[in-house]
Amino acid sequence: MAAPHVVGPADAHDTGTNPPRTARAWAVTAMVVALMVINFADKAVLGLAAAPIRKEFGLSASEYGAIASSFYLLFSLSAVVVGFLSNRVRTTWILAGLAVLWSLTALPVLLAASVPALYASRIALGAAEGPTAPMAVHAVHKWFPEHARSVPTALVNMGGAVGLAVATPTLVYFITHHGWRSAFVVLAAAGLVWFAAWAFIGREGPLDTYGAGLRGTAHGEARAEPHVSYRRLFLNGTWLGTLAVGIGAYWALALSVAWLPTYLEGALGYSAAEAGNLLIVPHVVSAAVLLAVPWLSGRWMRRGASGRLARGVAGGAVAIAAGLCMLALPHADGGLAVLLMTLAFGLPSAVFPLNFLLGAQVLPVRRRGSVLATSTALVTLAGIAAPAVTGLILDAAGSPDAGFQGAFGVCAALLLAGGALAALTVDPEREARRFGLTS
């Protein structure tokens, strides 16, 4: 792999008032977005292949839900471990290693398809993908200063929604015409192709301290960062608020990936092909929301709004709106049900880039990777519970309609509570002052 970029004398002109924003920065961003596309396609493949997999192995809803949840068994742990590793190892190398690892996780399914092989493949894939999102954002933030991060951060997170939108019809085609195993082959090959391209394009960004790139900050001054204990970084209102709203949003994401195809087919009566087409809609809305909300929040802040209002309150309001749509969803049918489903599962995605931007506002760079990864690890614990809890609710219910009503009610409660807490407690400017990062 090409050597990562290191700040040296040639970068002396990259001061706080003229930060590095080159073609390389956008090339790295584009590659990271592509990585997130593959990342979320990997997450979605099991849900898209749920019907043939359950039929082949005779799985109940609970048994399938347990396999889907196993993806998150090591997801959080690996995110924390790699996050702390990123304090010492370049994110360029970390992302390359993760891409190779998750491509190799398809081998158990391809060599000997069985229920244990499915468990092994999903657990290994989760371990390889757990650190990807925080490491991707951390890598991009090393290329863009605070006032210019909204769009690249949104693009990185939008890669997930694009991945689901692109992967859904593509993988459904392969599953339908070539068997469900073919979808795993396609995704493994995509990861290896990405790795080959990253070897030529990937570089480490030069903005390696909190003050680097801040408007009006001298280059030398930007090199100094205060020491802030992990206890203070974790135990404050902003971090706790983003954690709460993130859990609700991720529960919705995990629920949609594992069970939305089943909901459309079992509860609303669509065919597999029709369900595959309908699933594109919330993913497209999610992609639009992922780009628009952070961009609007950044523009709002450049006009004088606080991060508390433009990111904390805005993120909480989006989660609350999604929760209300989720509550209404089981009581609708036809076009209204599709509209409510689109909003309920499309809107929460905006929470993720806003949370990453809030983290960058209050975290020293030397500890940003580890804290973002730990936050992601805790948020994604919802991914362990959501598919399995939903399977249990469905098995216990008298009908698919009743089961999904209960499952959507649980998700709605988490979105409403998390959104309210975020709106009340998130205040990045307060935390940055308390940590000595700003005056």
Side-chain angles (χ1 to χ4, degrees):
M1 177 174 296
H5 179 81
V6 180
V7 179
D11 301 286
H13 65 282
D14 290 330
T15 65
T17 57
N18 185 30
R21 295 181 65 189
T22 63
R24 175 69 70 178
W26 287 107
V28 168
T29 301
M31 285 297 298
V32 171
V33 171
L35 182 69
M36 294 301 293
V37 169
I38 302 169
N39 177 281
F40 272 74
D42 276 321
K43 286 184 175 73
V45 67
L46 190 71
L48 296 173
I53 288 175
R54 288 181 62 184
K55 181 178 179 180
E56 180 173 335
F57 298 111
L59 300 174
S60 68
S62 298
E63 290 169 334
Y64 163 75
I67 294 174
S69 290
S70 71
F71 173 85
Y72 296 97
L73 190 62
L74 297 179
F75 191 96
S76 299
L77 177 61
S78 68
V80 174
V81 171
V82 174
F84 279 89
L85 183 67
S86 72
N87 292 344
R88 299 179 179 274
V89 178
R90 294 180 185 275
T91 51
T92 310
W93 298 345
I94 290 174
L95 291 177
L98 293 175
V100 172
L101 286 174
W102 83 51
S103 295
L104 296 177
T105 60
L107 288 177
V109 173
L110 300 178
L111 295 177
S114 62
V115 171
L118 284 170
Y119 270 109
S121 178
R122 298 307 286 181
I123 292 171
L125 179 65
E129 290 197 356
T132 303
M135 291 301 98
V137 171
H138 186 38
V140 169
H141 282 185
K142 290 184 177 182
W143 284 101
F144 295 90
E146 159 60 29
H147 63 272
R149 283 177 183 153
S150 294
V151 170
T153 304
L155 289 172
V156 171
N157 284 271
M158 192 179 73
V162 171
L164 293 174
V166 172
T168 296
T170 304
L171 296 179
V172 166
Y173 170 83
F174 278 98
I175 291 167
T176 303
H177 293 87
H178 303 287
W180 62 267
R181 292 167 181 79
S182 66
F184 286 79
V185 175
V186 170
L187 292 173
L192 294 176
V193 170
W194 183 92
F195 168 77
W198 183 247
F200 292 97
I201 297 173
R203 296 290 189 278
E204 200 79 5
L207 301 182
D208 55 2
T209 60
Y210 182 89
L214 287 179
R215 295 182 186 273
T217 303
H219 190 66
E221 181 184 348
R223 291 297 177 183
E225 278 192 336
H227 173 77
V228 186
S229 69
Y230 281 112
R231 180 184 62 80
R232 296 182 67 198
L233 293 175
F234 287 129
L235 297 180
N236 60 79
T238 296
W239 186 80
L240 293 172
T242 58
L243 180 67
V245 73
I247 288 172
Y250 207 89
W251 189 286
L253 173 62
L255 176 60
S256 70
V257 169
W259 286 106
L260 263 192
T262 302
Y263 169 69
L264 288 170
E265 295 176 43
L268 297 187
Y270 291 101
S271 68
E274 290 171 333
N277 291 330
L278 287 173
L279 284 170
I280 298 174
V281 182
H283 299 326
V284 170
V285 170
S286 179
V289 167
L290 279 165
L291 183 59
V293 172
W295 176 74
L296 289 171
S297 74
R299 188 173 181 180
W300 196 5
M301 289 180 67
R302 287 193 294 274
R303 293 183 175 183
S306 66
R308 167 172 169 70
L309 186 61
R311 292 171 176 170
V313 174
V318 168
I320 290 171
L324 293 175
C325 291
M326 191 81 71
L327 279 179
L329 176 56
H331 306 288
D333 55 20
L336 180 58
V338 173
L339 174 62
L340 290 172
M341 177 192 74
T342 297
L343 296 175
F345 291 102
L347 291 178
S349 299
V351 167
F352 303 126
L354 291 177
N355 279 2
F356 281 129
L357 289 166
L358 285 164
Q361 265 190 276
V362 302
L363 297 172
V365 174
R366 71 184 69 180
R367 292 190 167 178
R368 187 170 65 203
S370 55
V371 175
L372 289 181
T374 303
S375 301
T376 300
L378 294 173
V379 164
T380 54
L381 288 175
I384 299 176
V389 169
T390 301
L392 292 172
I393 292 172
L394 289 172
D395 279 344
S399 67
D401 288 343
F404 279 109
Q405 181 174 348
F408 291 158
V410 171
C411 186
L414 291 171
L415 285 168
L416 293 171
L421 190 61
L424 292 172
T425 64
V426 168
D427 191 340
E429 289 82 9
R430 177 191 63 203
E431 315 308 352
R433 288 193 302 270
R434 289 177 176 177
F435 298 158
L437 297 169
T438 60
S439 56

